[in-house]
Amino acid sequence: MDGIIVTHINSLSPKYQEVWELREEILRKPLGMSLKNEDLSRDHADTIFIAEHNSKVIGCLLLHHIDREQVQLRAMAVYNEWQGKGVGRLLVSAAENFCEQKEYPKIILHARKVALGFYKSLGYSITSDEFTEVGIPHYIMEKDLPYIYNK
């Protein structure tokens, strides 16, 4: 997409506040919740991918290292006016490329029920029964990543 730049940051970046605001607006306010009431300590260990347009964060996702075999894609959010325009795909693609470079064989995520079609279109498969997280239905989804060991 023209004019959209995807990079990764950490929680010490000045852009982290924009990521927090995006997550608050898209992931928590519609549920009557706030990140102010949550433990965000995992954010400090995560690699945070951001999509920017005109130097403004318009989308994000966080990658959390679980172990040598897998990482968790979490807290994906794109501002409403940018949804359906490929921003989410750009973010997931950047995260998957990062994981392949780090030789992680698998990405897992907790997908909101409303996002199943999006993740399925990117090759993710449902691997759990429905469960409730932040008060709404979710499923665990996974994707095996191709990578080549350089040994």
Side-chain angles (χ1 to χ4, degrees):
M1 291 187 61
D2 288 341
I4 296 178
I5 298 167
V6 176
T7 58
H8 57 85
I9 62 169
N10 61 40
S11 63
L12 300 176
S13 167
K15 290 286 181 179
Y16 179 74
Q17 181 62 35
E18 288 185 63
V19 170
W20 190 95
E21 291 166 3
L22 168 61
R23 290 166 60 195
E24 179 78 356
E25 184 69 27
I26 299 300
L27 300 178
R28 291 300 181 264
K29 279 186 181 177
L31 302 176
M33 301 172 80
S34 176
L35 291 173
K36 293 174 188 171
N37 303 318
E38 296 183 27
D39 176 6
L40 300 178
S41 60
R42 280 180 42 174
D43 291 10
H44 304 301
D46 291 353
T47 302
I48 303 166
F49 286 81
I50 59 172
E52 293 180 277
H53 184 261
N54 293 334
S55 299
K56 180 187 183 312
V57 173
I58 60 169
C60 68
L61 70 76
L62 283 67
L63 276 184
H64 184 74
H65 169 87
I66 296 172
D67 58 34
R68 200 49 235 137
E69 299 299 314
Q70 58 189 346
V71 292
Q72 181 182 6
L73 187 158
R74 64 185 202 89
M76 173 136 166
V78 175
Y79 277 116
N80 291 333
E81 61 269 26
W82 287 97
Q83 291 179 14
K85 297 180 179 178
V87 175
R89 289 180 183 279
L90 288 173
L91 284 163
V92 173
S93 178
E96 289 177 355
N97 289 337
F98 176 86
C99 289
E100 288 178 25
Q101 290 172 2
K102 299 290 185 184
E103 298 183 345
Y104 285 106
K106 182 183 293 188
I107 297 178
I108 66 166
L109 58 92
H110 294 185
R112 292 178 179 202
K113 191 172 186 177
V114 298
L116 291 178
F118 170 75
Y119 289 113
K120 283 181 180 179
S121 75
L122 297 174
Y124 289 80
S125 301
I126 297 172
T127 59
S128 77
D129 292 330
E130 184 178 299
F131 63 95
T132 301
E133 190 169 77
V134 295
I136 58 174
H138 280 73
Y139 291 84
I140 294 175
M141 298 186 83
E142 298 180 1
K143 182 176 183 178
D144 291 327
L145 297 174
Y147 64 91
I148 300 170
Y149 282 109
N150 296 317
K151 294 184 178 184

